[in-house]
Amino acid sequence: MPYTLDQLNTASQAEAEKMLDGLYEHTPWIAAEALKHRPFKSLAQLKHVMAEVLARADQDAQLALIRAHPELAGKAMVAKTLTTESTNEQGKAGLTDCTPEEFARIQKLNADYNAKFGFPFILAVRGPRGTGLPRQQIIEAFARRLDNHPDFELAEALRNIHRIAEIRLADKFGAEPALGNEVWDWHEALATHSDPGFAEQGQLTVTYLTDAHRACAAQIAGDMAAAGFDEVHIDAVGNVVGRYKADPAVRHPKTLLTGSHYDTVRNGGKYDGRLGIFVPLACVQALHRTGQRLPFDVEVVGFAEEEGQRYKATFLASGALIGHFRPEWLDQADADGVTMRQAMQHAGLAIDDIPKIKRDPSKYLGFIEVHIEQGPVLNELNLPLGVVTSINGSIRYVGEFIGQASHAGTTPMDRRRDAACAAAELALYLEERAAKDGDSVATMGLLNVPAGSINVVPGRCAFSLDLRAPTDPQRDRLAADVLERLQQIATRRGITFKLEETMRASAAPSAPAWQQRWERAVATLGLPAFLMPSGAGHDAMKLHEVMPQAMLFVRGENSGISHNPLESTTADDMELAVRAMQGVLDELAAETAKP
Ligand SMILES: [Zn+2]
């Protein structure tokens, strides 16, 4: 019989410790210490408290925990001296059936890894879905992590240990993330569609209105219909729109809008965008299964285009909902010379109807969006969810310092007009100035000495500036300081510069009431409501222009890497995202029902 949370909360300390025995390999003190913080609202809270206990422990204690783990497919496995939990995990991942070549490869990796880091390689081999990673993926992860910096790898090992504990805890409490598993499986199925040239290599690329893109739309529409949406259609720009209608007793119900995009970058991840479609799908499915109706309609939109890959029309899909579709885009051609108009006609879209999909904001309560974080913050903090305070505003520039190219051997240091040194100085200033704000970011992503040579003082240096901050005034102060410093550097070094502003996007601060609904929903799950800005742009930025919006972030694995095939989250984190959205729906239903 699996334990219940109630049993854990009411048991004596000794009994409770016994219930959690084996969560952390040969290291019972973590659970023991965490149990002093009972009662727990949820297993999510218990997991968070255990992660905090370990984070506060000194490094020796952390290392001892890592070293208490057996090597993967190592001597202990062969000699059958693993703990029951480890035997189960390594067996599920098929490590007990390694071919002689695989076994030899793993032994070599074990030896190299131990020599570099001084502790065994730890990987939650049951993987993000809990069903076991394929051996090939385990070996690839092993080889990849060998290249990590030791500080980072120590943290990564601890994160994997928490994931192992999470799965062991779910086993003890019979707490399968059923909703999260469904959300996971929808993503897997959708990821089988990929554009030609990428599909063959096992890469995921879905760009606007390709065959794979239209197959995705059809699949999402089918998933929506199966989940119990009342109306499902594909609109004039290729958005998949599902509506779950309000309780018929409610007269003139308003609509809650939610969703995200299903297109991807080239060789991208499976969860960017799509998580924001499937999480609300799971919510509607749960409502439908229990025959529940809310006092408002729920409209879920799978946006057709956000990434701007095939055509330079980023946010085309969410933009169309607020009347921002620009007819001149239709004549833009892709790399193969196919215009957007031709692509739309080929897909059978009714181009003339595009203006009609503009929404009337007065009919909407607001917009919420769930998205994978696409950054390392939640992963580092061992937090599954984060509440977004604002989508950062940004300004981009491209520029060039123009100094004097001269002989690297004969030009004395005090007679140089080195354009690259000027850019380097500016890059270091960006780093220092953005850090001072705490939540601003500034990047010189392009830095190039055109036609440079090893024995020539750089006469020109081209660079880019990408400046972002949670509010427009903060962004503007950052930009003003950077431009002032750029001017000073040029003057002092006796060089000139060119600078062109190429992009300016306003910040989209979350509507306070909507942000607070997410905060309360996360807190109800027993988790801290961690507040963070979004460094990346999202569909919510567009809807922000016409209605209140707020976003929820979900932790990404692998240090939150995104726009990359390694992008991942777990079924457990997906489950929490579904539960958080259910919390927002419940609260909104209670508010709306009030006279
Ligand atoms: Zn996205």
Side-chain angles (χ1 to χ4, degrees):
M1 269 288 278
Y3 300 126
T4 66
L5 188 62
D6 202 41
Q7 284 173 324
L8 185 76
N9 279 332
T10 51
S12 70
Q13 173 78 16
E15 281 167 354
E17 284 178 24
K18 233 176 119 199
M19 290 166 76
L20 300 188
D21 184 45
L23 280 190
Y24 289 89
E25 196 89 355
H26 303 297
T27 310
W29 60 264
I30 299 170
E33 184 60 34
L35 284 167
K36 293 179 187 159
H37 300 268
R38 286 183 295 167
F40 298 116
K41 271 187 187 175
S42 62
L43 292 180
Q45 185 183 14
L46 165 62
K47 286 183 269 188
H48 179 64
V49 172
M50 291 192 296
E52 296 272 275
V53 167
L54 186 62
R56 280 196 303 269
D58 61 29
Q59 213 187 66
D60 286 345
Q62 296 174 348
L63 279 168
L65 168 65
I66 299 175
R67 292 188 180 125
H69 285 73
E71 287 191 328
L72 269 191
K75 287 186 214 81
M77 187 189 86
V78 176
K80 302 204 190 311
T81 58
L82 294 176
T83 60
T84 324
E85 290 86 355
S86 287
T87 306
N88 173 22
E89 286 147 9
Q90 300 210 10
K92 266 209 169 129
L95 288 168
T96 39
D97 307 321
C98 283
T99 64
E101 295 75 36
E102 286 169 340
F103 193 70
R105 178 89 205 279
I106 293 177
Q107 298 323 310
K108 170 87 169 75
L109 285 165
N110 272 327
D112 292 349
Y113 186 95
N114 229 312
K116 177 169 176 185
F117 298 112
F119 50 79
F121 173 67
I122 315 281
L123 179 68
V125 291
R126 279 186 48 193
R129 172 69 160 79
T131 42
L133 292 172
R135 281 201 298 277
Q136 194 49 40
Q137 228 170 302
I138 293 173
I139 292 169
E140 279 165 18
F142 206 153
R144 189 176 65 243
R145 279 175 46 190
L146 248 179
D147 293 334
N148 283 341
H149 186 277
D151 294 346
F152 179 84
E153 189 52 23
L154 177 88
E156 189 66 12
L158 296 176
R159 284 193 283 269
N160 273 276
I161 288 171
H162 289 309
R163 173 66 186 151
I164 293 168
E166 174 167 63
I167 295 172
R168 291 178 179 178
L169 188 69
D171 287 348
K172 281 175 182 290
F173 284 75
E176 272 271 297
L179 296 165
N181 286 344
E182 277 187 278
V183 172
W184 178 276
D185 295 342
W186 280 324
H187 283 90
E188 265 325 284
L190 195 63
T192 56
H193 308 292
S194 184
D195 288 349
F198 299 91
E200 298 82 347
Q201 301 173 62
Q203 297 178 352
L204 180 66
T205 302
V206 177
T207 57
Y208 190 47
L209 296 182
T210 60
D211 289 349
H213 185 271
R214 285 155 52 219
C216 285
Q219 183 155 337
I220 294 167
D223 289 341
M224 283 181 173
F229 281 78
D230 299 296
E231 294 167 2
V232 179
H233 73 280
I234 294 173
D235 74 12
V237 297
N239 293 329
V240 189
V241 184
R243 182 173 287 267
Y244 186 68
K245 289 195 169 166
D247 182 341
V250 179
R251 286 164 50 114
H252 310 300
K254 286 201 171 191
T255 299
L256 172 71
L257 188 62
T258 180
S260 192
H261 60 98
Y262 64 89
D263 68 322
T264 75
V265 296
R266 295 193 168 81
N267 195 17
K270 295 175 186 169
Y271 309 96
D272 174 4
R274 295 156 176 215
L275 191 62
I277 303 170
F278 290 130
V279 165
L281 225 87
C283 293
V284 167
Q285 178 169 269
L287 289 168
H288 174 71
R289 278 179 181 162
T290 52
Q292 276 185 83
R293 293 279 167 181
L294 300 170
F296 48 86
D297 283 12
V298 179
E299 184 180 356
V300 181
V301 183
F303 292 111
E305 213 292 338
E306 192 259 10
E307 304 281 9
Q309 299 281 305
R310 185 174 178 189
Y311 299 100
K312 284 195 172 52
T314 310
F315 298 113
L316 171 161
S318 46
L321 262 58
I322 62 165
H324 283 190
F325 185 87
R326 301 227 292 267
E328 64 265 29
W329 285 340
L330 292 168
D331 299 315
Q332 230 190 98
D334 71 2
D336 298 322
V338 180
T339 65
M340 189 186 288
R341 185 190 313 276
Q342 289 167 331
M344 286 178 148
Q345 282 162 347
H346 179 67
L349 301 182
I351 296 173
D352 294 343
D353 288 346
I354 294 174
K356 294 186 202 154
I357 66 173
K358 181 179 173 188
R359 300 300 196 267
D360 172 2
S362 71
K363 295 191 171 139
Y364 285 85
L365 294 165
F367 178 75
I368 53 177
E369 181 175 358
V370 175
H371 205 283
I372 190 163
E373 181 203 335
Q374 303 186 281
V377 176
L378 294 172
N379 192 238
E380 262 172 30
L381 292 169
N382 284 303
L383 283 173
L385 302 174
V387 177
V388 176
T389 52
S390 178
I391 302 170
N392 280 351
S394 56
I395 307 184
R396 286 183 187 161
Y397 302 91
V398 291
E400 191 174 24
F401 281 114
I402 302 131
Q404 176 71 58
S406 60
H407 196 294
T410 60
T411 317
M413 294 313 286
D414 61 356
R415 315 259 167 91
R416 293 182 177 212
R417 294 173 194 273
D418 187 326
C421 284
E425 211 184 320
L426 186 63
L428 292 175
Y429 177 71
L430 286 186
E431 188 177 50
E432 178 199 317
R433 173 61 184 77
K436 210 186 277 173
D437 285 343
D439 51 5
S440 294
V441 287
T443 307
M444 187 178 282
L446 299 173
L447 184 59
N448 174 34
V449 177
S453 180
I454 194 165
N455 56 0
V456 176
V457 174
R460 289 164 60 205
C461 185
F463 60 88
S464 62
L465 301 173
D466 178 302
L467 313 174
R468 306 187 196 208
T471 66
D472 290 347
Q474 184 176 325
R475 174 202 65 182
D476 294 343
R477 283 193 299 274
L478 172 67
D481 285 357
V482 168
L483 297 194
E484 188 189 324
R485 180 60 66 100
L486 188 154
Q487 180 72 59
Q488 286 169 3
I489 292 169
T491 308
R492 175 162 37 78
R493 289 177 173 272
I495 62 177
T496 58
F497 66 88
K498 291 191 279 199
L499 193 72
E500 185 195 344
E501 183 182 308
T502 55
M503 205 266 290
R504 178 177 286 255
S506 292
S510 302
W514 288 84
Q515 181 187 318
Q516 285 156 18
R517 287 189 188 101
W518 279 125
E519 289 175 36
R520 285 189 292 268
V522 171
T524 303
L525 296 171
L527 291 166
F530 180 75
L531 304 181
M532 62 190 299
S534 168
H538 295 291
D539 291 303
M541 282 170 86
K542 284 283 150 195
L543 281 309
H544 177 84
E545 296 181 33
V546 299
M547 63 179 81
Q549 61 78 27
M551 293 185 69
L552 180 76
F553 273 171
V554 180
R555 159 171 61 185
E557 299 295 293
N558 302 313
S559 210
I561 192 165
S562 186
H563 288 183
N564 185 298
L566 288 175
E567 176 189 278
S568 187
T569 175
T570 64
D572 293 81
D573 288 359
M574 289 174 169
E575 170 96 9
L576 290 169
V578 174
R579 294 202 178 279
M581 186 173 268
Q582 287 175 328
V584 171
L585 295 179
D586 288 348
E587 186 174 317
L588 214 49
E591 288 170 27
T592 316
K594 273 183 212 146

